[in-house]
PDB file of all heavy atoms in Angstrom:
ATOM      1  N   GLN B 198     -23.264  -9.654  49.094  1.00 97.00           N
ATOM      2  CA  GLN B 198     -23.576  -8.238  49.041  1.00 97.00           C
ATOM      3  C   GLN B 198     -23.906  -7.770  50.468  1.00 97.00           C
ATOM      4  O   GLN B 198     -24.986  -8.055  50.975  1.00 97.00           O
ATOM      5  CB  GLN B 198     -24.736  -7.956  48.112  1.00 97.00           C
ATOM      6  CG  GLN B 198     -25.021  -6.467  47.925  1.00 97.00           C
ATOM      7  CD  GLN B 198     -26.209  -6.151  47.096  1.00 97.00           C
ATOM      8  OE1 GLN B 198     -26.910  -7.014  46.567  1.00 97.00           O
ATOM      9  NE2 GLN B 198     -26.419  -4.870  46.906  1.00 97.00           N
ATOM     10  N   ALA B 199     -22.992  -7.056  51.048  1.00 96.00           N
ATOM     11  CA  ALA B 199     -23.237  -6.466  52.366  1.00 96.00           C
ATOM     12  C   ALA B 199     -24.079  -5.219  52.199  1.00 96.00           C
ATOM     13  O   ALA B 199     -24.174  -4.652  51.144  1.00 96.00           O
ATOM     14  CB  ALA B 199     -21.884  -6.107  53.045  1.00 96.00           C
ATOM     15  N   LEU B 200     -24.729  -4.816  53.310  1.00 93.00           N
ATOM     16  CA  LEU B 200     -25.626  -3.669  53.250  1.00 93.00           C
ATOM     17  C   LEU B 200     -24.931  -2.433  52.784  1.00 93.00           C
ATOM     18  O   LEU B 200     -23.850  -2.081  53.256  1.00 93.00           O
ATOM     19  CB  LEU B 200     -26.204  -3.463  54.656  1.00 93.00           C
ATOM     20  CG  LEU B 200     -27.377  -2.477  54.788  1.00 93.00           C
ATOM     21  CD1 LEU B 200     -28.581  -3.000  53.997  1.00 93.00           C
ATOM     22  CD2 LEU B 200     -27.723  -2.239  56.248  1.00 93.00           C
ATOM     23  N   GLY B 201     -25.493  -1.799  51.764  1.00 91.00           N
ATOM     24  CA  GLY B 201     -24.908  -0.579  51.227  1.00 91.00           C
ATOM     25  C   GLY B 201     -23.736  -0.763  50.359  1.00 91.00           C
ATOM     26  O   GLY B 201     -23.086   0.219  49.928  1.00 91.00           O
ATOM     27  N   GLN B 202     -23.402  -1.957  49.996  1.00 94.00           N
ATOM     28  CA  GLN B 202     -22.295  -2.253  49.126  1.00 94.00           C
ATOM     29  C   GLN B 202     -22.735  -3.019  47.855  1.00 94.00           C
ATOM     30  O   GLN B 202     -23.815  -3.474  47.794  1.00 94.00           O
ATOM     31  CB  GLN B 202     -21.259  -3.129  49.871  1.00 94.00           C
ATOM     32  CG  GLN B 202     -20.728  -2.522  51.145  1.00 94.00           C
ATOM     33  CD  GLN B 202     -19.906  -1.242  50.864  1.00 94.00           C
ATOM     34  OE1 GLN B 202     -19.085  -1.230  49.954  1.00 94.00           O
ATOM     35  NE2 GLN B 202     -20.173  -0.205  51.635  1.00 94.00           N
ATOM     36  N   GLY B 203     -21.847  -3.080  46.895  1.00 96.00           N
ATOM     37  CA  GLY B 203     -22.126  -3.870  45.712  1.00 96.00           C
ATOM     38  C   GLY B 203     -21.723  -5.321  45.955  1.00 96.00           C
ATOM     39  O   GLY B 203     -21.050  -5.663  46.904  1.00 96.00           O
ATOM     40  N   PRO B 204     -22.215  -6.220  45.126  1.00 96.00           N
ATOM     41  CA  PRO B 204     -21.871  -7.641  45.254  1.00 96.00           C
ATOM     42  C   PRO B 204     -20.349  -7.865  45.171  1.00 96.00           C
ATOM     43  O   PRO B 204     -19.713  -7.182  44.307  1.00 96.00           O
ATOM     44  CB  PRO B 204     -22.613  -8.278  44.082  1.00 96.00           C
ATOM     45  CG  PRO B 204     -23.739  -7.349  43.742  1.00 96.00           C
ATOM     46  CD  PRO B 204     -23.201  -5.987  44.002  1.00 96.00           C
ATOM     47  N   GLN B 205     -19.847  -8.748  45.974  1.00 96.00           N
ATOM     48  CA  GLN B 205     -18.415  -9.118  45.918  1.00 96.00           C
ATOM     49  C   GLN B 205     -18.280 -10.555  45.503  1.00 96.00           C
ATOM     50  O   GLN B 205     -18.919 -11.448  46.117  1.00 96.00           O
ATOM     51  CB  GLN B 205     -17.779  -8.932  47.305  1.00 96.00           C
ATOM     52  CG  GLN B 205     -17.296  -7.506  47.589  1.00 96.00           C
ATOM     53  CD  GLN B 205     -16.294  -7.478  48.747  1.00 96.00           C
ATOM     54  OE1 GLN B 205     -16.634  -7.859  49.872  1.00 96.00           O
ATOM     55  NE2 GLN B 205     -15.081  -7.101  48.435  1.00 96.00           N
ATOM     56  N   PHE B 206     -17.429 -10.819  44.546  1.00 95.00           N
ATOM     57  CA  PHE B 206     -17.210 -12.182  44.021  1.00 95.00           C
ATOM     58  C   PHE B 206     -16.589 -13.072  45.047  1.00 95.00           C
ATOM     59  O   PHE B 206     -15.529 -12.732  45.575  1.00 95.00           O
ATOM     60  CB  PHE B 206     -16.343 -12.065  42.762  1.00 95.00           C
ATOM     61  CG  PHE B 206     -15.939 -13.397  42.179  1.00 95.00           C
ATOM     62  CD1 PHE B 206     -16.900 -14.194  41.516  1.00 95.00           C
ATOM     63  CD2 PHE B 206     -14.655 -13.869  42.245  1.00 95.00           C
ATOM     64  CE1 PHE B 206     -16.540 -15.389  40.948  1.00 95.00           C
ATOM     65  CE2 PHE B 206     -14.283 -15.058  41.674  1.00 95.00           C
ATOM     66  CZ  PHE B 206     -15.223 -15.835  41.048  1.00 95.00           C
ATOM     67  N   ILE B 207     -17.272 -14.213  45.313  1.00 96.00           N
ATOM     68  CA  ILE B 207     -16.727 -15.186  46.288  1.00 96.00           C
ATOM     69  C   ILE B 207     -15.943 -16.252  45.527  1.00 96.00           C
ATOM     70  O   ILE B 207     -14.712 -16.431  45.729  1.00 96.00           O
ATOM     71  CB  ILE B 207     -17.816 -15.837  47.098  1.00 96.00           C
ATOM     72  CG1 ILE B 207     -18.661 -14.766  47.857  1.00 96.00           C
ATOM     73  CG2 ILE B 207     -17.215 -16.845  48.143  1.00 96.00           C
ATOM     74  CD1 ILE B 207     -19.869 -15.353  48.579  1.00 96.00           C
ATOM     75  N   PHE B 208     -16.630 -17.037  44.702  1.00 94.00           N
ATOM     76  CA  PHE B 208     -15.973 -17.997  43.797  1.00 94.00           C
ATOM     77  C   PHE B 208     -16.920 -18.440  42.722  1.00 94.00           C
ATOM     78  O   PHE B 208     -18.097 -18.054  42.694  1.00 94.00           O
ATOM     79  CB  PHE B 208     -15.461 -19.212  44.609  1.00 94.00           C
ATOM     80  CG  PHE B 208     -16.378 -19.826  45.623  1.00 94.00           C
ATOM     81  CD1 PHE B 208     -17.672 -20.188  45.302  1.00 94.00           C
ATOM     82  CD2 PHE B 208     -15.933 -19.981  46.927  1.00 94.00           C
ATOM     83  CE1 PHE B 208     -18.533 -20.704  46.256  1.00 94.00           C
ATOM     84  CE2 PHE B 208     -16.776 -20.517  47.884  1.00 94.00           C
ATOM     85  CZ  PHE B 208     -18.073 -20.899  47.563  1.00 94.00           C
ATOM     86  N   GLN B 209     -16.371 -19.215  41.795  1.00 93.00           N
ATOM     87  CA  GLN B 209     -17.131 -19.659  40.651  1.00 93.00           C
ATOM     88  C   GLN B 209     -16.911 -21.204  40.490  1.00 93.00           C
ATOM     89  O   GLN B 209     -15.744 -21.688  40.743  1.00 93.00           O
ATOM     90  CB  GLN B 209     -16.705 -18.978  39.383  1.00 93.00           C
ATOM     91  CG  GLN B 209     -17.490 -19.395  38.138  1.00 93.00           C
ATOM     92  CD  GLN B 209     -16.973 -18.670  36.900  1.00 93.00           C
ATOM     93  OE1 GLN B 209     -16.029 -19.094  36.254  1.00 93.00           O
ATOM     94  NE2 GLN B 209     -17.594 -17.565  36.555  1.00 93.00           N
ATOM     95  N   TYR B 210     -17.911 -21.926  40.083  1.00 93.00           N
ATOM     96  CA  TYR B 210     -17.810 -23.327  39.756  1.00 93.00           C
ATOM     97  C   TYR B 210     -18.199 -23.548  38.329  1.00 93.00           C
ATOM     98  O   TYR B 210     -19.206 -23.052  37.833  1.00 93.00           O
ATOM     99  CB  TYR B 210     -18.670 -24.189  40.680  1.00 93.00           C
ATOM    100  CG  TYR B 210     -17.996 -24.407  42.038  1.00 93.00           C
ATOM    101  CD1 TYR B 210     -18.058 -23.424  43.010  1.00 93.00           C
ATOM    102  CD2 TYR B 210     -17.243 -25.538  42.236  1.00 93.00           C
ATOM    103  CE1 TYR B 210     -17.399 -23.599  44.200  1.00 93.00           C
ATOM    104  CE2 TYR B 210     -16.567 -25.714  43.459  1.00 93.00           C
ATOM    105  CZ  TYR B 210     -16.648 -24.763  44.418  1.00 93.00           C
ATOM    106  OH  TYR B 210     -16.015 -24.933  45.625  1.00 93.00           O
ATOM    107  N   TYR B 211     -17.364 -24.320  37.637  1.00 90.00           N
ATOM    108  CA  TYR B 211     -17.579 -24.693  36.235  1.00 90.00           C
ATOM    109  C   TYR B 211     -17.382 -26.197  36.137  1.00 90.00           C
ATOM    110  O   TYR B 211     -16.292 -26.692  36.456  1.00 90.00           O
ATOM    111  CB  TYR B 211     -16.619 -23.957  35.330  1.00 90.00           C
ATOM    112  CG  TYR B 211     -16.594 -24.398  33.905  1.00 90.00           C
ATOM    113  CD1 TYR B 211     -17.734 -24.303  33.115  1.00 90.00           C
ATOM    114  CD2 TYR B 211     -15.405 -24.941  33.341  1.00 90.00           C
ATOM    115  CE1 TYR B 211     -17.704 -24.760  31.800  1.00 90.00           C
ATOM    116  CE2 TYR B 211     -15.412 -25.365  32.025  1.00 90.00           C
ATOM    117  CZ  TYR B 211     -16.568 -25.258  31.246  1.00 90.00           C
ATOM    118  OH  TYR B 211     -16.545 -25.717  29.941  1.00 90.00           O
ATOM    119  N   ARG B 212     -18.437 -26.857  35.722  1.00 87.00           N
ATOM    120  CA  ARG B 212     -18.401 -28.330  35.557  1.00 87.00           C
ATOM    121  C   ARG B 212     -17.814 -28.988  36.837  1.00 87.00           C
ATOM    122  O   ARG B 212     -16.908 -29.818  36.723  1.00 87.00           O
ATOM    123  CB  ARG B 212     -17.589 -28.704  34.324  1.00 87.00           C
ATOM    124  CG  ARG B 212     -18.316 -28.291  33.045  1.00 87.00           C
ATOM    125  CD  ARG B 212     -17.578 -28.817  31.816  1.00 87.00           C
ATOM    126  NE  ARG B 212     -18.345 -28.543  30.618  1.00 87.00           N
ATOM    127  CZ  ARG B 212     -17.960 -28.838  29.400  1.00 87.00           C
ATOM    128  NH1 ARG B 212     -16.748 -29.406  29.196  1.00 87.00           N
ATOM    129  NH2 ARG B 212     -18.706 -28.579  28.358  1.00 87.00           N
ATOM    130  N   GLU B 213     -18.341 -28.598  37.971  1.00 91.00           N
ATOM    131  CA  GLU B 213     -18.096 -29.209  39.260  1.00 91.00           C
ATOM    132  C   GLU B 213     -16.709 -28.890  39.833  1.00 91.00           C
ATOM    133  O   GLU B 213     -16.352 -29.418  40.911  1.00 91.00           O
ATOM    134  CB  GLU B 213     -18.274 -30.746  39.212  1.00 91.00           C
ATOM    135  CG  GLU B 213     -19.627 -31.173  38.726  1.00 91.00           C
ATOM    136  CD  GLU B 213     -19.798 -32.659  38.647  1.00 91.00           C
ATOM    137  OE1 GLU B 213     -19.568 -33.367  39.663  1.00 91.00           O
ATOM    138  OE2 GLU B 213     -20.164 -33.153  37.544  1.00 91.00           O
ATOM    139  N   GLU B 214     -15.950 -28.010  39.187  1.00 91.00           N
ATOM    140  CA  GLU B 214     -14.604 -27.626  39.704  1.00 91.00           C
ATOM    141  C   GLU B 214     -14.621 -26.148  40.032  1.00 91.00           C
ATOM    142  O   GLU B 214     -15.199 -25.310  39.318  1.00 91.00           O
ATOM    143  CB  GLU B 214     -13.544 -27.896  38.636  1.00 91.00           C
ATOM    144  CG  GLU B 214     -13.391 -29.363  38.245  1.00 91.00           C
ATOM    145  CD  GLU B 214     -12.626 -30.174  39.254  1.00 91.00           C
ATOM    146  OE1 GLU B 214     -11.832 -29.530  40.030  1.00 91.00           O
ATOM    147  OE2 GLU B 214     -12.804 -31.386  39.345  1.00 91.00           O
ATOM    148  N   GLU B 215     -13.896 -25.777  41.122  1.00 92.00           N
ATOM    149  CA  GLU B 215     -13.730 -24.359  41.400  1.00 92.00           C
ATOM    150  C   GLU B 215     -12.939 -23.701  40.303  1.00 92.00           C
ATOM    151  O   GLU B 215     -11.872 -24.160  39.930  1.00 92.00           O
ATOM    152  CB  GLU B 215     -13.074 -24.153  42.754  1.00 92.00           C
ATOM    153  CG  GLU B 215     -13.057 -22.675  43.197  1.00 92.00           C
ATOM    154  CD  GLU B 215     -12.443 -22.441  44.550  1.00 92.00           C
ATOM    155  OE1 GLU B 215     -13.050 -22.827  45.568  1.00 92.00           O
ATOM    156  OE2 GLU B 215     -11.350 -21.863  44.613  1.00 92.00           O
ATOM    157  N   ASN B 216     -13.419 -22.570  39.812  1.00 89.00           N
ATOM    158  CA  ASN B 216     -12.836 -21.921  38.673  1.00 89.00           C
ATOM    159  C   ASN B 216     -12.608 -20.421  38.998  1.00 89.00           C
ATOM    160  O   ASN B 216     -13.161 -19.546  38.382  1.00 89.00           O
ATOM    161  CB  ASN B 216     -13.756 -22.083  37.476  1.00 89.00           C
ATOM    162  CG  ASN B 216     -13.157 -21.423  36.226  1.00 89.00           C
ATOM    163  OD1 ASN B 216     -11.969 -21.445  35.994  1.00 89.00           O
ATOM    164  ND2 ASN B 216     -14.021 -20.855  35.411  1.00 89.00           N
ATOM    165  N   GLY B 217     -11.847 -20.175  40.001  1.00 89.00           N
ATOM    166  CA  GLY B 217     -11.595 -18.800  40.431  1.00 89.00           C
ATOM    167  C   GLY B 217     -12.202 -18.465  41.745  1.00 89.00           C
ATOM    168  O   GLY B 217     -13.300 -18.966  42.076  1.00 89.00           O
ATOM    169  N   ARG B 218     -11.524 -17.682  42.526  1.00 92.00           N
ATOM    170  CA  ARG B 218     -11.940 -17.339  43.882  1.00 92.00           C
ATOM    171  C   ARG B 218     -11.598 -15.891  44.210  1.00 92.00           C
ATOM    172  O   ARG B 218     -10.520 -15.416  43.776  1.00 92.00           O
ATOM    173  CB  ARG B 218     -11.235 -18.293  44.873  1.00 92.00           C
ATOM    174  CG  ARG B 218     -11.711 -18.153  46.283  1.00 92.00           C
ATOM    175  CD  ARG B 218     -10.944 -19.157  47.211  1.00 92.00           C
ATOM    176  NE  ARG B 218     -11.508 -19.103  48.531  1.00 92.00           N
ATOM    177  CZ  ARG B 218     -12.491 -19.890  48.981  1.00 92.00           C
ATOM    178  NH1 ARG B 218     -12.953 -20.830  48.197  1.00 92.00           N
ATOM    179  NH2 ARG B 218     -12.943 -19.778  50.212  1.00 92.00           N
ATOM    180  N   GLY B 219     -12.497 -15.239  44.884  1.00 92.00           N
ATOM    181  CA  GLY B 219     -12.201 -13.894  45.304  1.00 92.00           C
ATOM    182  C   GLY B 219     -11.527 -13.849  46.638  1.00 92.00           C
ATOM    183  O   GLY B 219     -10.995 -14.897  47.118  1.00 92.00           O
ATOM    184  N   ASN B 220     -11.495 -12.696  47.284  1.00 92.00           N
ATOM    185  CA  ASN B 220     -10.721 -12.528  48.516  1.00 92.00           C
ATOM    186  C   ASN B 220     -11.565 -12.936  49.726  1.00 92.00           C
ATOM    187  O   ASN B 220     -11.980 -12.105  50.571  1.00 92.00           O
ATOM    188  CB  ASN B 220     -10.296 -11.087  48.621  1.00 92.00           C
ATOM    189  CG  ASN B 220      -9.322 -10.863  49.787  1.00 92.00           C
ATOM    190  OD1 ASN B 220      -8.654 -11.772  50.174  1.00 92.00           O
ATOM    191  ND2 ASN B 220      -9.302  -9.656  50.288  1.00 92.00           N
ATOM    192  N   PHE B 221     -11.855 -14.207  49.813  1.00 96.00           N
ATOM    193  CA  PHE B 221     -12.635 -14.738  50.919  1.00 96.00           C
ATOM    194  C   PHE B 221     -11.885 -15.898  51.588  1.00 96.00           C
ATOM    195  O   PHE B 221     -11.173 -16.645  50.939  1.00 96.00           O
ATOM    196  CB  PHE B 221     -14.012 -15.263  50.435  1.00 96.00           C
ATOM    197  CG  PHE B 221     -15.012 -14.171  50.227  1.00 96.00           C
ATOM    198  CD1 PHE B 221     -15.014 -13.414  49.076  1.00 96.00           C
ATOM    199  CD2 PHE B 221     -15.938 -13.857  51.214  1.00 96.00           C
ATOM    200  CE1 PHE B 221     -15.908 -12.367  48.884  1.00 96.00           C
ATOM    201  CE2 PHE B 221     -16.853 -12.815  51.026  1.00 96.00           C
ATOM    202  CZ  PHE B 221     -16.831 -12.071  49.853  1.00 96.00           C
ATOM    203  N   PRO B 222     -11.986 -16.004  52.928  1.00 97.00           N
ATOM    204  CA  PRO B 222     -11.228 -17.031  53.651  1.00 97.00           C
ATOM    205  C   PRO B 222     -11.718 -18.436  53.324  1.00 97.00           C
ATOM    206  O   PRO B 222     -12.793 -18.613  52.783  1.00 97.00           O
ATOM    207  CB  PRO B 222     -11.473 -16.717  55.126  1.00 97.00           C
ATOM    208  CG  PRO B 222     -12.751 -15.959  55.130  1.00 97.00           C
ATOM    209  CD  PRO B 222     -12.808 -15.181  53.840  1.00 97.00           C
TER     210      PRO B 222
END
Side-chain angles (χ1 to χ4, degrees):
Chain B
Q198 186 183 1
L200 191 64
Q202 300 296 315
Q205 275 199 297
F206 175 70
I207 303 175
F208 44 54
Q209 182 183 86
Y210 280 82
Y211 170 62
R212 291 186 174 177
E213 304 178 56
E214 297 282 335
E215 187 178 289
N216 182 36
R218 187 179 185 93
N220 190 25
F221 280 81

